[in-house]
Amino acid sequence: MTKIRELNERFSDLKKLKYINNLLEWDQHVYMPEKSNKGRAELIELVSRITHKKLISNKTQRLIEQAERINDLNIIDSAILREAKREYEKAIKVPTELITELAKTSILAYKAWKEAREKKDFLRFRPYLDKIIELQKEYADKIDIGLTRYDSLIDEFEPGATSEWISEIFNRLSIKLKTILKKLMNSNDVPDQSILNKYYNPKKQWDFSIKILEKLNFDFSIGRQDKSVHPFTVSLSSTDIRITTRIWENFLPACLFGTLHECGHALYDAGFMKEIHNTNLAGGSSLGFHESQSRLWENFIGRSKEFWDYWYPQLQKLFPEHLKKLSKNEFYRSINSVKPSLIRVEADEITYSLHIILRFEIENLIFQDKITTSELPQIWNEKTEKLLNLIPPNDSDGILQDIHWSGGAFGYFPTYTLGNLYAAQLYHNALVKNPHLQNDFSKGNFSGFLNYLRDNIHQYGKIYHPIDLIKKISGENLNPDYFIHYLENKFFPIYSV
Amino acid sequence: MTKIRELNERFSDLKKLKYINNLLEWDQHVYMPEKSNKGRAELIELVSRITHKKLISNKTQRLIEQAERINDLNIIDSAILREAKREYEKAIKVPTELITELAKTSILAYKAWKEAREKKDFLRFRPYLDKIIELQKEYADKIDIGLTRYDSLIDEFEPGATSEWISEIFNRLSIKLKTILKKLMNSNDVPDQSILNKYYNPKKQWDFSIKILEKLNFDFSIGRQDKSVHPFTVSLSSTDIRITTRIWENFLPACLFGTLHECGHALYDAGFMKEIHNTNLAGGSSLGFHESQSRLWENFIGRSKEFWDYWYPQLQKLFPEHLKKLSKNEFYRSINSVKPSLIRVEADEITYSLHIILRFEIENLIFQDKITTSELPQIWNEKTEKLLNLIPPNDSDGILQDIHWSGGAFGYFPTYTLGNLYAAQLYHNALVKNPHLQNDFSKGNFSGFLNYLRDNIHQYGKIYHPIDLIKKISGENLNPDYFIHYLENKFFPIYSV
């Protein structure tokens, strides 16, 4: 048994190196002076070099082999071994030169993408995207985890998921979403969103977000919130979990739902059982599962009637100039207005997943060698029209809008929608098991739901695969119908459909 | 020549690990949530373990040996080799068990010291201090750099300095300081310090400190200022240098001179020539030299008449309720009032060094085995009476006031006063070479003096030994007379002596 402990210690060091990397990145995005980038990049490079060397060393291999010969590993130790093997085997399969090439190309591609987006010109980005795709194909061939190249890439983010499985789910979802959307768009009872675009004092927005965090049991003694351009959540240990938000003076939802979203991630990372702190299991079961937590707090709860039963009077008091005369119901409708738009990050709960389905379908085509990048803008625009009934006027509002591909993150997008689907299934399960929960929310009591999440999800970290975990909790596989029913039950009344 | 480059790269990695450690500590003191200590300690421990392993590896030894066989090293490369050797040899001489023992004992001793200080009871700290001293003696024997044990410890902080050399300087200084102090204390024209203890709005204090930093050429594009309990300066690269300050509502000098002090340190760390960035030469020539920079900006400039020619009207405008009717001269006198006190960190420019001399003499006796810790409080009190004409009413205002010994930092204290002495000699030299400087200060122009410091000191980092550097600049060895003359010329007029 000391063998498994040694293995654990090695991967615990690797986990700590990850935490150190996280601090370097957190600081970079939150407090680092503007001209300190070069020095910071060098520190991050060193940590990644040390990490890689430690991971692919003979000692790691020996420890894994020794642990594999143990017959009676408990559930935690065998999960530690499983994750260790997964990480080690991927690392040794990929030549260091490829890693370096990927890192270098990403930096150039990111610059080219930024420039291309500014100039609204995909052609400036295309040669870099070609190179990135070529390298990602090589990478997929090397790690060779899935049935297809794209499957290998998806597995990085969502262990066990395949493009075929996702296709099936997304196809069904796509039809249903378009049907719902059509019904809503035909309604004459449309919410008015304009109230959200008034001026809201930044300091008051910030204070309100802190108040919400406290009430949602975000523990400030082991966490903090700061501001950054793009909100994110990061762990510096299992007892140091930080989120960021952004404040837009003329758009109330940015800070509000940004905070709620990241709070969901943070509560997950703060909920691992002590036994897996500092191990390679101290993380979300998958990106999709992690995203389910952020969506639950941001959308399922944060945009619910019950949530605002409790919070709206306080928000009214804070911003009487805009809200004093606006009813709770009108406010609730305003934060749930639905409208097809070109930009993913601005999308509502209905159309968001259509944006994701578009990206998934395109990635699938790319890695099946069915399209070349020269066709991409056209295919993007065609699919946008088909899914959202809109045509991007330029590349920046279309194919160039997301950063992901410039960094080589193919297979990442689907996890956003998987997150929504997991969230709906979990929320349904939680309400069945605890019918009083929504009533609790109305009274400002969010502990019951958090306890459900902790008991069923958070504590386990990566012990269970996402596919096993959802079955363990709900008794069935991931089923998109929960999400569809949730949307119908919520949005049809809002739109008087 | 590639051999020296390889050595440089290795020590560059070690430097970067130091920067990473610095970020972990900066964050710990500035933004880390209160209950995240354990996780943070584990990350710091990992970095120190990786650093130690890299430093004492066979590869490091081989690279040093190879570099030593090169005949025509330039001045930078031979300094890199010198520092590499110094660090490597010290590291291999000390057994890992001793390092671990020292670290563990320090943690316990720190706790005991805090408790003892609260209870004003030295006896609670004594057994831990005994252990710390025993381990430090063992450590000194292992590294065996100086003629005596104490010399070995001093050399850690002030390379090349010996207890004999410091004794000579301090003996002369002690007599002179007591003479000056006596004259001032006999004066009837005593400055009134009470104005500094009024209420000063914290936000205004902060803004004023930022304004000063900007004017003093602290570069906010590669640095920042934050708040912490104890002010400090830290580098996260040669282009990311951060300081902290503290604000006391009822004591104006805390923030003001805290900022000036740390700014001095920061300007040094921001001034290294590009060629030594990321090398083991990217640091102060010694602790004493580093302290000279902070003292120059805090005292020699920050408490000078000329400085306040420029700044006092602005300060008056900021706090008219207290300062409108107070003349510039009275303000200048108030920030330069002299009074023997029991606490080192509250001491003025005259008595500060007497506090240091006391500590130096006691450390010297301890490491010569001339006294035991049972005699310490009595000796402390006797020396306090002799030097400051005061008797501590309890241990907390005496022997227990400083944190240093609990962490095993013996030989550190003298560098504070060496800093004053270096500062005086440098200031004299700067004024001889640039007679217009004080006139510049009156006009709010501080660039001329910074350029002098950059040209003569900052750019070189650790290329030169402090002993060589002061001679290179001023043409003579460290000479305490400059400090004495500076004090006499400044304080006799203030006290109408």
Side-chain angles (χ1 to χ4, degrees), chain A residues 12-17 19-20 23-24 26-27 30-40 42-47 49-50 53-54 219-224 226 236-237 239-242 278, chain B residues 12-17 19-20 23-24 26-27 30-40 42-47 49-50 53-54 219-224 226 236-237 239-242 278:
Chain A
S12 164
D13 278 358
L14 289 164
K15 186 80 196 176
K16 288 178 201 162
L17 284 165
Y19 287 143
I20 289 169
L23 174 60
L24 287 162
W26 173 84
D27 179 75
V30 178
Y31 289 117
M32 194 183 76
E34 48 171 328
K35 287 189 186 160
S36 307
N37 259 313
K38 193 170 157 278
R40 183 53 48 92
E42 287 168 353
L43 301 188
I44 289 173
E45 186 276 330
L46 175 63
V47 172
R49 186 150 41 89
I50 291 170
K53 206 177 152 189
K54 229 182 170 68
D219 184 351
F220 281 95
S221 77
I222 58 160
R224 46 182 295 124
D226 295 274
L236 312 183
S237 82
T239 50
D240 189 349
I241 292 131
R242 306 185 183 187
N278 274 344
Chain B
S12 165
D13 278 357
L14 289 165
K15 185 80 197 176
K16 289 177 199 160
L17 284 165
Y19 287 144
I20 289 169
L23 174 60
L24 287 162
W26 173 83
D27 180 75
V30 177
Y31 290 117
M32 194 183 76
E34 50 172 325
K35 287 188 186 161
S36 306
N37 259 314
K38 192 169 156 281
R40 182 54 46 92
E42 287 168 353
L43 301 188
I44 290 172
E45 186 276 329
L46 175 62
V47 172
R49 185 150 42 87
I50 290 170
K53 206 177 152 192
K54 228 181 171 67
D219 184 351
F220 280 96
S221 77
I222 57 160
R224 44 181 297 123
D226 295 273
L236 313 182
S237 82
T239 51
D240 188 349
I241 292 132
R242 306 186 182 186
N278 273 344

Side-chain angles (χ1 to χ4, degrees), chain A residues 194-222:
Chain A
S194 64
I195 193 73
L196 305 175
N197 291 96
K198 311 273 184 195
Y199 171 83
Y200 291 88
N201 177 287
K203 170 80 171 65
K204 287 187 187 174
Q205 287 196 50
W206 173 264
D207 291 346
F208 191 60
S209 78
I210 296 289
K211 226 171 155 179
I212 289 181
L213 285 172
E214 281 168 351
K215 201 79 189 163
L216 262 43
N217 301 295
F218 179 94
D219 184 351
F220 281 95
S221 77
I222 58 160

